[in-house]
Amino acid sequence: MLKKVFASAVFGVEASTITVEVNVDKGVGYHLVGLPDNAIKESNFRIAAALQNNGYRIPGKKIIINMSPADLRKEGSAYDLTLAIGILASTNQIKAENLDKYLIMGELSLDGSLQPIKGALPIAVKAREEGFKGFILPIQNAKEAAIVDNLEVYGIENIKQVINYFDKGEPLEQTIINTREEFEKSLDFPEFDFSDVKGQESIKRCMEIAAAGGHNVILIGPPGAGKTMLAKRLPSILPPMTLHEALETTKIHSVVGRVKDSGLMAQRPFRSPHHTISNVALVGGGSYPQPGEISMSHNGVLFLDELPEFKREVLEVMRQPLEDREVTISRAKFTVTYPSSFMLVASMNPSPSGYFNDSDSPVTSSPAEMQRYLSKVSGPLLDRIDIHIEVTPVPFDKLSDERKGETSVEIRKRVTKAREIQTLRFKDSDKVHYNAQMNVKQIRKHCVLDEASKLLLKTAMERLNLSARAYDRILKVSRTIADLEGVEIVNGSHISEAIQYRSLDREGWLE
């Protein structure tokens, strides 16, 4: 007898429906076709043990299972439950009149209990699009899938519950989540707050500008100056995620199985990979492509501590995603695209010793050593970083000051107001949402300078030996400074402040 059960495969952050056809006939054998990987091929052992431990069995007949479409590669152990229910239905061990109305997925343990799967959210989205009535999956993934409305989601603990549902009509408990309510409940502030930062007022100002315009930042300073501490607090002043952004971010984390119990990610991600990371781990890829750290940072912050310690080829592969806000991974038979719209925050010492030009330090580096150290970071990568911040150690009198600084909540209000101005400004653009994303045409349109401002910028470019690539970056940052003040016209004060944030473009910076 032939029976069809439905599952799903995830490619990138999108899912495709898989039809599992189970045919039982005279003879002996178990044949699984349709490009399954080794994890799926081994499923017959898990299924056999799970069924036996729950009072059922795989009959000694010829069983042919086709996973359609047959030219699409399937991977992972999430098809165990799908195959098991298909075998029971095709051998008449259970009634299964409504199998075509449900998507069924889950990894089986030998006792029949279910283990969580990856990609529950994109699978649920696809199930709703395809018109399925419900989605049956492990209880650990139920909240994640229940984010999708107009789809019945049933989280189960054991295969016996599914069998009893189809065979005896015993009801399953539906998981229901108010997505909007769950989202608003999760909008708490991160544990790190700018009020904990002693001194560093000028640096906090830089971080506020970066957050307001979505600008990439590099922090340059000696060890212990507070670079990592400041970077960790950046998410606390970024505008709250919209529900659309939260769903996008949750989708990516769902694909790699890293969604927390709440089901919906309402906090902007902060990723801080070690400098030994590989190309694939950073940008994504592999035999079966998975999102990398830059996609896991989507709508959040990617922090690269000690930037020159990263392998140069690893940093270079990040250039295209920084520009396009997405990364495309191509294989012989398919191509997947992962979103990667993130803020890059990098930190570095000014020299190998970390104490260049510090007369109090016992260890110093020569200008030649420092030049070799800085050259590990390429010009094209620095070209994509709008703000360069010099971080200096905090003096003792400020460190010992008991007074609290300005809180992240207060800074975040100003940042959010500036972002609202930019949202209105770019309302007709699909690809540009904040100042850092402006192209040359938009810079010329929204950063119009008067003659005095032009003269100031020209003088700064000549006297400070600023590189040509600094010009557009200065205009973008000055536009953000003006937005923070709530003014439409970029003036000389905005330009002069923005010029300060291009340290690494100054040819005399090493002297």
PDB file of all heavy atoms in Angstrom, residues 203-218:
ATOM      1  N   ILE A 203      34.143  59.146  23.745  1.00  0.00           N
ATOM      2  CA  ILE A 203      33.983  57.834  23.100  1.00  0.00           C
ATOM      3  C   ILE A 203      32.509  57.441  23.087  1.00  0.00           C
ATOM      4  O   ILE A 203      32.003  56.907  22.089  1.00  0.00           O
ATOM      5  CB  ILE A 203      34.801  56.743  23.829  1.00  0.00           C
ATOM      6  CG1 ILE A 203      36.217  57.243  24.138  1.00  0.00           C
ATOM      7  CG2 ILE A 203      34.835  55.465  23.018  1.00  0.00           C
ATOM      8  CD1 ILE A 203      37.009  57.646  22.936  1.00  0.00           C
ATOM      9  N   LYS A 204      31.806  57.719  24.175  1.00  0.00           N
ATOM     10  CA  LYS A 204      30.365  57.422  24.220  1.00  0.00           C
ATOM     11  C   LYS A 204      29.610  58.227  23.171  1.00  0.00           C
ATOM     12  O   LYS A 204      28.651  57.750  22.573  1.00  0.00           O
ATOM     13  CB  LYS A 204      29.815  57.694  25.622  1.00  0.00           C
ATOM     14  CG  LYS A 204      30.248  56.657  26.652  1.00  0.00           C
ATOM     15  CD  LYS A 204      29.451  56.742  27.929  1.00  0.00           C
ATOM     16  CE  LYS A 204      29.973  57.797  28.847  1.00  0.00           C
ATOM     17  NZ  LYS A 204      29.345  57.759  30.180  1.00  0.00           N
ATOM     18  N   ARG A 205      30.067  59.449  22.943  1.00  0.00           N
ATOM     19  CA  ARG A 205      29.473  60.273  21.901  1.00  0.00           C
ATOM     20  C   ARG A 205      29.662  59.615  20.526  1.00  0.00           C
ATOM     21  O   ARG A 205      28.737  59.564  19.715  1.00  0.00           O
ATOM     22  CB  ARG A 205      30.122  61.662  21.915  1.00  0.00           C
ATOM     23  CG  ARG A 205      29.852  62.540  20.703  1.00  0.00           C
ATOM     24  CD  ARG A 205      28.416  62.978  20.603  1.00  0.00           C
ATOM     25  NE  ARG A 205      28.250  63.935  19.496  1.00  0.00           N
ATOM     26  CZ  ARG A 205      27.078  64.348  19.063  1.00  0.00           C
ATOM     27  NH1 ARG A 205      25.958  63.929  19.633  1.00  0.00           N
ATOM     28  NH2 ARG A 205      27.004  65.209  18.068  1.00  0.00           N
ATOM     29  N   CYS A 206      30.850  59.098  20.273  1.00  0.00           N
ATOM     30  CA  CYS A 206      31.124  58.396  19.007  1.00  0.00           C
ATOM     31  C   CYS A 206      30.211  57.190  18.843  1.00  0.00           C
ATOM     32  O   CYS A 206      29.681  56.941  17.754  1.00  0.00           O
ATOM     33  CB  CYS A 206      32.580  57.934  18.958  1.00  0.00           C
ATOM     34  SG  CYS A 206      33.792  59.248  18.905  1.00  0.00           S
ATOM     35  N   MET A 207      30.046  56.432  19.917  1.00  0.00           N
ATOM     36  CA  MET A 207      29.208  55.236  19.853  1.00  0.00           C
ATOM     37  C   MET A 207      27.746  55.607  19.603  1.00  0.00           C
ATOM     38  O   MET A 207      27.025  54.902  18.891  1.00  0.00           O
ATOM     39  CB  MET A 207      29.334  54.432  21.140  1.00  0.00           C
ATOM     40  CG  MET A 207      30.745  53.943  21.447  1.00  0.00           C
ATOM     41  SD  MET A 207      31.415  52.826  20.198  1.00  0.00           S
ATOM     42  CE  MET A 207      30.789  51.256  20.786  1.00  0.00           C
ATOM     43  N   GLU A 208      27.319  56.726  20.155  1.00  0.00           N
ATOM     44  CA  GLU A 208      25.954  57.199  19.916  1.00  0.00           C
ATOM     45  C   GLU A 208      25.756  57.558  18.453  1.00  0.00           C
ATOM     46  O   GLU A 208      24.733  57.208  17.843  1.00  0.00           O
ATOM     47  CB  GLU A 208      25.673  58.418  20.798  1.00  0.00           C
ATOM     48  CG  GLU A 208      24.275  58.986  20.619  1.00  0.00           C
ATOM     49  CD  GLU A 208      24.023  60.199  21.515  1.00  0.00           C
ATOM     50  OE1 GLU A 208      24.723  60.368  22.529  1.00  0.00           O
ATOM     51  OE2 GLU A 208      23.100  60.991  21.185  1.00  0.00           O
ATOM     52  N   ILE A 209      26.738  58.245  17.867  1.00  0.00           N
ATOM     53  CA  ILE A 209      26.657  58.602  16.445  1.00  0.00           C
ATOM     54  C   ILE A 209      26.636  57.341  15.585  1.00  0.00           C
ATOM     55  O   ILE A 209      25.850  57.225  14.640  1.00  0.00           O
ATOM     56  CB  ILE A 209      27.851  59.503  16.055  1.00  0.00           C
ATOM     57  CG1 ILE A 209      27.752  60.844  16.777  1.00  0.00           C
ATOM     58  CG2 ILE A 209      27.909  59.704  14.542  1.00  0.00           C
ATOM     59  CD1 ILE A 209      29.006  61.684  16.677  1.00  0.00           C
ATOM     60  N   ALA A 210      27.495  56.375  15.924  1.00  0.00           N
ATOM     61  CA  ALA A 210      27.545  55.113  15.167  1.00  0.00           C
ATOM     62  C   ALA A 210      26.203  54.397  15.217  1.00  0.00           C
ATOM     63  O   ALA A 210      25.698  53.908  14.199  1.00  0.00           O
ATOM     64  CB  ALA A 210      28.643  54.220  15.729  1.00  0.00           C
ATOM     65  N   ALA A 211      25.596  54.338  16.399  1.00  0.00           N
ATOM     66  CA  ALA A 211      24.307  53.664  16.553  1.00  0.00           C
ATOM     67  C   ALA A 211      23.203  54.399  15.800  1.00  0.00           C
ATOM     68  O   ALA A 211      22.332  53.782  15.180  1.00  0.00           O
ATOM     69  CB  ALA A 211      23.951  53.555  18.037  1.00  0.00           C
ATOM     70  N   ALA A 212      23.254  55.730  15.821  1.00  0.00           N
ATOM     71  CA  ALA A 212      22.212  56.527  15.180  1.00  0.00           C
ATOM     72  C   ALA A 212      22.217  56.370  13.664  1.00  0.00           C
ATOM     73  O   ALA A 212      21.159  56.378  13.030  1.00  0.00           O
ATOM     74  CB  ALA A 212      22.378  57.997  15.554  1.00  0.00           C
ATOM     75  N   GLY A 213      23.412  56.217  13.073  1.00  0.00           N
ATOM     76  CA  GLY A 213      23.489  56.105  11.618  1.00  0.00           C
ATOM     77  C   GLY A 213      23.800  54.734  11.100  1.00  0.00           C
ATOM     78  O   GLY A 213      23.925  54.534   9.890  1.00  0.00           O
ATOM     79  N   GLY A 214      23.945  53.740  11.995  1.00  0.00           N
ATOM     80  CA  GLY A 214      24.289  52.388  11.578  1.00  0.00           C
ATOM     81  C   GLY A 214      25.699  52.285  11.031  1.00  0.00           C
ATOM     82  O   GLY A 214      25.987  51.433  10.180  1.00  0.00           O
ATOM     83  N   HIS A 215      26.600  53.135  11.505  1.00  0.00           N
ATOM     84  CA  HIS A 215      27.960  53.195  10.970  1.00  0.00           C
ATOM     85  C   HIS A 215      28.851  52.108  11.572  1.00  0.00           C
ATOM     86  O   HIS A 215      28.770  51.811  12.764  1.00  0.00           O
ATOM     87  CB  HIS A 215      28.579  54.559  11.270  1.00  0.00           C
ATOM     88  CG  HIS A 215      27.814  55.710  10.702  1.00  0.00           C
ATOM     89  ND1 HIS A 215      27.796  56.002   9.352  1.00  0.00           N
ATOM     90  CD2 HIS A 215      27.019  56.646  11.294  1.00  0.00           C
ATOM     91  CE1 HIS A 215      27.046  57.059   9.143  1.00  0.00           C
ATOM     92  NE2 HIS A 215      26.556  57.465  10.303  1.00  0.00           N
ATOM     93  N   ASN A 216      29.720  51.546  10.738  1.00  0.00           N
ATOM     94  CA  ASN A 216      30.737  50.620  11.227  1.00  0.00           C
ATOM     95  C   ASN A 216      31.809  51.409  11.985  1.00  0.00           C
ATOM     96  O   ASN A 216      32.121  52.543  11.626  1.00  0.00           O
ATOM     97  CB  ASN A 216      31.374  49.854  10.067  1.00  0.00           C
ATOM     98  CG  ASN A 216      30.359  49.006   9.330  1.00  0.00           C
ATOM     99  OD1 ASN A 216      29.433  48.468   9.925  1.00  0.00           O
ATOM    100  ND2 ASN A 216      30.513  48.891   8.015  1.00  0.00           N
ATOM    101  N   VAL A 217      32.378  50.781  13.012  1.00  0.00           N
ATOM    102  CA  VAL A 217      33.286  51.480  13.926  1.00  0.00           C
ATOM    103  C   VAL A 217      34.538  50.646  14.167  1.00  0.00           C
ATOM    104  O   VAL A 217      34.463  49.420  14.235  1.00  0.00           O
ATOM    105  CB  VAL A 217      32.594  51.714  15.295  1.00  0.00           C
ATOM    106  CG1 VAL A 217      33.518  52.432  16.256  1.00  0.00           C
ATOM    107  CG2 VAL A 217      31.306  52.482  15.129  1.00  0.00           C
ATOM    108  N   ILE A 218      35.671  51.320  14.321  1.00  0.00           N
ATOM    109  CA  ILE A 218      36.874  50.655  14.799  1.00  0.00           C
ATOM    110  C   ILE A 218      37.419  51.440  15.990  1.00  0.00           C
ATOM    111  O   ILE A 218      37.523  52.673  15.938  1.00  0.00           O
ATOM    112  CB  ILE A 218      37.943  50.501  13.688  1.00  0.00           C
ATOM    113  CG1 ILE A 218      39.123  49.688  14.201  1.00  0.00           C
ATOM    114  CG2 ILE A 218      38.390  51.833  13.134  1.00  0.00           C
ATOM    115  CD1 ILE A 218      40.058  49.185  13.110  1.00  0.00           C
TER     116      ILE A 218
END
